[in-house]
């Protein structure tokens, strides 16, 4: 008799938790792997247990959903059906003869190597924040919206005393409310889109009364905290010598340019800025999964085009936590049935599939509403650093385009080093393509995390007995 | 210079020579041809450096070559790189840092020193270095190595920047995002120009600098040139202060008992860059144009590098990249006129040395285009040297 099949779920956010619980409930063993110290990821980020927050639910909504998932996870862990590996930073998933090895680095230092074997994997790696550059964006005191929220939810630290929340997207609302509720004076919520006008018109939004109510709830809470919303406005510069002291905001005209004469200065010591999210696709790309633009391509069962690899949540497209939950649930159900040799009947999850469709339409509608100003890059002065890791300025990028014939992200990177540093372009790529006037394309990053050469080399010596299909040797060039 | 000329079939652009390929080889051909007085147009289906040039390293090596035609071309190229570096070295990250080839056993050192004697006779500067002096050159090498040979002529450039700046200096017309779909010929078979997906370009001379895809261009002119891809991975580390000062690689000679010949085996080149990261490359495999990631190959690179420099075990690899070297069956490039197609010149198939060998190649092509006697005998590089396989 063989062992029960094992599914590795990478990512313990809403998608990964839902997939884990669904798969474990249907008879497969699951290894849930996440880089964080606790389950929950960004959305359900728990106040560090040690802080014993009295009412963590005040910082979360959907606290009940989270509690149910958490209890189900704990029960499966106790029953031995789920192994939950925290502090595991996955740098690569390897597929060999139809089986998988998940390679991870352990602990906050990400030094020790661990390998987990599995018969199939669910990639639930979520997304990361997109931030576009503007003069002064590298000053201390300028943080990402998610960074500000993580500080609030995780460590209960109040990031500053006077904050401006700026950029575009629905995520700015909970961030502004969260900051205000924690006692920060939120001087303004600066949103480049004009969401209200659209919200009234869009059909997909009308079909989501719950979601609209959620938006209305935020609006009421913003009002209660006296946070003023400046729609169709943008931050054009952050000021300060050693750290942030003020920002200049301005109104936008119909073409997405700054309306002259509308600039005004708002003193603040924190600027939380975000322009939406981008999917984390590194692990999927290295496995050879097909992408649709910037997101992992999946079918109705959340399967990628690589056999044995499922994907769910923001890795397959940005759509919020509710969508991530339904996708994770479907992925877990499908993987469980297929791993035990069956063929799933989609009727079994018809309700989840319906809400996935609805939530997907809602996400698409939001995506159409929220957008950075069309001409944002005009505000970026030549001396603004766009790639922080390699300290590449906007002027250098513009020169590579105008003088050296670079017309795509890869060539700009080769000619300027923008995106070659520690973050591998995760932060600067959206800014660079805006300056270069080209498209954001998936940039192959073979390692999801930087990996010590000793870890790579060590595994080499362990695996030398294995026969490689293609003999290979090193060489000078 | 980026031109935005709208070409129509009725008014084909006319020039003296069309170079196919805006990689390192095409850029060097364009520069030397333009400096020889020709009006040159460079065509590429992608951006500048978008082929193998943007996917490899920029070592300009004499150290790894045995005496013969490739070494002669390398010596000519090294001299020309030195001259170009005086014009725009800082823009292309030219660094004449030298190479250190390390022996890992006393027997290996003897063989390495024997090769150095032959290389010196061919004009290479190759200085034996004993154990103590070796650690003066490279303090962080693994302890206990018997010795090395120092090659001060080894240097490097950043390939994509070099291609872009040579093209700019050439002042040639650069047409990117334009695919060559056919070679136009006169009834007697000589070159009339090229057809692209965006119009024809007329010229009496055509330079095939299409790298790994050079065989396809030759085929458009009904000439056989068997260029094939040889895959290579490079590992790139996090930025570090300078810990590795030269290009360092190990040469081991594995005596093959049966044939009594000594086959050279090398470890990957380890080098620090001005920008900080250490580059470790490169692997060699014949697997066609397969881009898929190969963990075993990267493990082998990491193992080779950490054996030489143990401190690297704690240094992180940030990324790796993959490219396809253009190789011909006898591992020499095709350079010069194609006797089968008057007006067609080849400059491709440089395998793992196309950055280094580009300047010499460009210089020889310019001489051939202007009917001058070439500085090197082109016979070993003849493009028609490969017999067509029997069908
Ligand atoms: C500032 C902010 C506010 C938000 N507010 C709301 C809101 O009010 N309402 C709403 O519906 N949504 C909100 N969201 C969005 C919500 O967080 C996401 O939609 C949801 O978390 C997506 O779930 P997921 O499971 O796909 O990914 P995530 O929740 O992002 O989970 C991904 C997990 O994968 C792990 N991971 C990724 N890569 C690796 C790796 N290589 N190795 C190990 N682990 C890895 C991460 O550590 C993370 O735990 C907000 C997001 C942000 C950033
Ligand atoms: C991993 C690795 C490491 C390397 N390290 C070194 C090193 O250290 N030193 C060294 O000297 N060399 C090195 N090389 C080898 C070197 O990169 C190549 O030899 C060199 O780049 C070849 O340049 P090229 O201009 O001939 O070809 P390419 O750069 O490939 O240029 C050919 C161009 O032709 C274009 N093209 C093809 N078909 C068409 C068409 N039909 N129409 C229009 N355009 C077309 C392509 O788009 C491409 O841009 C390395 C290679 C690899 C893969």
């Amino acid at each position: 008799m063989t062992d029960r099949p094992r599914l590795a779920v990478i990512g313990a956010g809403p998608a990964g938790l839902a997939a884990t619980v669904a798969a474990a409930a249907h008879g497969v063993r699951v290894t849930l792997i996440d880089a964080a110290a606790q389950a929950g990821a960004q959305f359900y980020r728990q106040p560090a247990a040690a802080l014993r927050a009295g009412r963590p639910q005040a910082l979360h909504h959907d606290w009940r959903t989270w509690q149910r998932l958490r209890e189900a996870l704990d029960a499966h862990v106790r029953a031995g059906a789920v192994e939950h590996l925290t502090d595991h930073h996955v740098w690569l998933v390897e597929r060999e003869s139809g089986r998988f090895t998940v390679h991870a680095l352990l602990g906050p230092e990400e030094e020790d190597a661990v390998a987990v074997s599995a018969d199939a994997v669910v990639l639930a790696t979520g997304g990361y924040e997109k931030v576009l550059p503007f003069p002064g964006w590298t000053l201390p005191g300028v943080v990402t919206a998610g960074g500000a929220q993580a500080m609030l939810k995780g460590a209960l630290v109040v990031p500053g005393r006077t904050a401006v929340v700026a950029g575009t997207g629905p995520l700015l609302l909970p961030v502004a409310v969260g900051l205000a509720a924690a006692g920060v004076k939120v001087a303004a919520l600066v949103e480049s889109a004009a969401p209200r006008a659209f919200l009234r018109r869009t059909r997909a939004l009308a079909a989501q009364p719950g979601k609209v109510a959620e938006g209305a709830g935020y609006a009421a809470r913003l009002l209660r905290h006296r946070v003023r919303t400046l729609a169709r406005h943008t931050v054009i510069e952050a000021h300060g010598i050693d750290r942030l002291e003020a920002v200049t905001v301005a109104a936008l005209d119909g073409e997405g340019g700054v309306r002259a004469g509308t600039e005004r200065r708002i003193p603040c010591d924190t600027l939380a800025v975000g322009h939406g999210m981008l999917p984390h696709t590194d692990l999927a790309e290295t496995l050879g999964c097909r992408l649709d633009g910037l997101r992992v391509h999946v079918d109705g069962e959340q399967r990628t085009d690589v056999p044995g690899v499922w994907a769910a949540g923001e890795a397959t497209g940005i759509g919020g936590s509710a969508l991530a939950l339904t996708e994770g649930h479907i992925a877990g159900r499908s993987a469980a049935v297929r791993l035990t040799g069956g063929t799933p009947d989609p009727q079994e999850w018809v309700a989840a599939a319906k809400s996935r469709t609805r939530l997907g339409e809602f996400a698409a509608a939001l995506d159409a509403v929220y957008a950075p100003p069309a001409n944002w890059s005009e505000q970026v002065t030549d001396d603004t650093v766009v790639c922080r890791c390699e300290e590449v300025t906007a002027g250098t990028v513009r020169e590579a385009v105008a003088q050296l014939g670079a017309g795509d992200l890869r060539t700009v990177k080769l000619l300027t080093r923008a995106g070659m540093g520690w973050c591998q372009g995760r932060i600067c790529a959206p800014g660079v393509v805006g300056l270069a006037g080209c498209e954001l394309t998936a940039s192959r990053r073979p390692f999801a995390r930087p990996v010590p050469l000793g870890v790579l080399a060590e595994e080499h010596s362990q695996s030398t007995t294995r026969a490689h299909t293609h003999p290979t040797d090193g060489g000078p060039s | 210079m980026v031109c935005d000329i709208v070409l129509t079939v009725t008014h084909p652009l006319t020039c003296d020579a069309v170079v196919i390929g805006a990689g390192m080889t095409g850029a060097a051909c364009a520069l030397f041809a333009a400096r020889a007085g020709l009006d040159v147009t460079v065509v590429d289906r992608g951006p500048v450096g978008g082929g193998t040039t943007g996917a490899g390293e920029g070592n300009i090596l004499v150290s790894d070559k045995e005496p013969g035609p490739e070494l002669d071309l390398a010596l000519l190229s090294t001299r020309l790189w030195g001259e170009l570096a005086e014009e725009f070295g800082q823009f292309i990250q030219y660094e004449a840092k030298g190479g250190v080839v390390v022996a890992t056993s006393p027997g290996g050192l003897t063989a390495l020193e024997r090769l150095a004697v032959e290389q010196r006779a061919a004009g290479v500067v190759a200085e034996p270095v004993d154990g103590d002096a070796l650690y003066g050159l490279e303090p962080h090498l693994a302890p206990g190595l018997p010795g090395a040979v120092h090659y001060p002529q080894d240097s490097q450039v950043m390939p994509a920047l070099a291609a872009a700046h040579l093209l700019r200096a050439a002042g040639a017309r650069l047409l990117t995002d334009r695919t060559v779909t056919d070679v136009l010929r006169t009834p007697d078979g000589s070159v009339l120009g090229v057809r692209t997906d965006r119009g024809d370009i007329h010229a009496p001379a055509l330079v095939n600098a299409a790298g790994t895809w050079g065989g396809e261009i030759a085929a458009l002119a009904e000439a056989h040139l068997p260029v094939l891809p040889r895959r290579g991975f490079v590992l790139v580390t996090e930025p570090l202060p300078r810990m590795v000062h030269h290009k360092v690689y190990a040469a081991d000679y594995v005596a093959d008992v049966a044939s009594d010949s000594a086959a050279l085996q090398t470890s990957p080149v380890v080098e620090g860059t001005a920008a900080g990261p250490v580059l470790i490359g490169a692997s060699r495999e014949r697997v066609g144009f397969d881009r898929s990631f190969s963990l075993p190959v990267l493990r082998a690179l990491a193992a080779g590098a950490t054996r030489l420099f143990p401190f690297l075990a704690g240094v992180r690899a940030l990324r790796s990249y993959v490219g396809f070297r253009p190789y011909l069956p006898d591992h020499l490039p095709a350079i010069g006129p194609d006797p089968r197609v008057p007006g067609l010149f080849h400059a491709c198939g440089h395998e793992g040395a196309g950055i280094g060998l580009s300047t010499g190649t460009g210089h020889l092509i310019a001489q051939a285009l202007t009917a001058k006697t070439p500085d090197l005998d082109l016979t070993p590089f003849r493009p028609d040297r490969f017999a067509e396989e029997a069908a």
Side-chain angles (χ1 to χ4, degrees), chain B residues 21 23-25 44-45 52-53 57 59 180 210 213 323 351-356:
Chain B
M24 190 67 250
T25 310
D44 200 297
R45 63 181 172 197
T52 312
T53 295
E57 295 176 274
N59 295 310
V180 171
W213 305 273
E351 197 160 342
I355 306 307

Side-chain angles (χ1 to χ4, degrees), chain A residues 126-128 171 276-280 295 313-320 323 359-360 363-364 367:
Chain A
Y128 60 102
L171 308 185
M277 306 268 298
L278 294 167
H280 258 310
R295 53 193 181 177
E314 313 246 86
T316 65
I318 304 307
L323 181 58
L359 292 163
D367 204 47

Side-chain angles (χ1 to χ4, degrees), chain A residues 109 414 424 451 453-454 459 477, chain B residues 158 299 313 315 317 319 325 352:
Chain A
E109 300 298 317
L414 281 170
Q424 290 293 292
V451 53
L453 290 170
E459 304 207 354
S477 44
Chain B
M158 193 311 194
R299 284 170 173 165
V315 171
R319 64 195 168 103
R325 303 178 188 83

Side-chain angles (χ1 to χ4, degrees), chain A residues 103 109-110 403 408 410-411 414-415 417 420 422 424 444 446 450-454 456 459-460 470 473-477, chain B residues 47 50 54 158 160-161 168 238 266 269 275 281-284 287 291 293 299 303 312-313 315-317 319-320 325 352:
Chain A
H103 296 277
E109 300 298 317
E110 300 186 30
Q403 307 284 316
D408 62 296
R410 178 170 179 264
T411 313
L414 281 170
L415 298 180
R417 298 195 60 76
M420 284 202 184
W422 189 262
Q424 290 293 292
R444 303 182 195 102
V451 53
L453 290 170
L456 269 179
E459 304 207 354
H460 174 64
H470 307 296
D473 55 283
S477 44
Chain B
M158 193 311 194
L161 276 174
R168 178 152 81 153
E238 61 188 293
T266 53
V269 177
S283 60
R284 293 151 191 254
V287 291
R291 297 198 62 90
F293 183 83
R299 284 170 173 165
L312 285 175
V315 171
R316 281 164 203 269
R319 64 195 168 103
S320 75
R325 303 178 188 83

